[in-house]
Amino acid sequence: MRTSAVRIMDWPDPRLTRHGDDVILGEAIRQQGWEMSNIGTPGVSMNTEPRRGR
């Protein structure tokens, strides 16, 4: 996700707990009128660090 999009949405909303945050982020994107698309293999490691939050 682009940093500019995260900043526009002021994500993550501090009022939210971290349960289901991927689903909530998807809904926030939909409410902005944006679309998600497959960007292929970005070459970024995912889920390699301990979880944040609670």
Side-chain angles (χ1 to χ4, degrees), residues 11-22 24 53-54:
W11 191 261
D13 187 319
R15 297 171 294 178
L16 302 174
T17 60
R18 301 270 180 200
H19 301 289
D21 56 340
D22 290 342
I24 296 169
R54 299 178 210 193

Side-chain angles (χ1 to χ4, degrees):
M1 182 171 207
R2 294 178 186 216
T3 303
S4 59
V6 172
R7 288 185 178 139
I8 287 169
M9 291 192 302
D10 193 23
W11 191 261
D13 187 319
R15 297 171 294 178
L16 302 174
T17 60
R18 301 270 180 200
H19 301 289
D21 56 340
D22 290 342
V23 174
I24 296 169
L25 176 58
E27 176 59 13
I29 291 168
R30 186 194 68 79
Q31 288 181 15
Q32 291 290 321
W34 300 340
E35 295 181 6
M36 292 184 274
S37 61
N38 186 346
I39 60 169
T41 305
V44 179
S45 296
M46 296 173 64
N47 297 323
T48 60
E49 299 297 326
R51 296 291 298 179
R52 299 167 297 174
R54 299 178 210 193

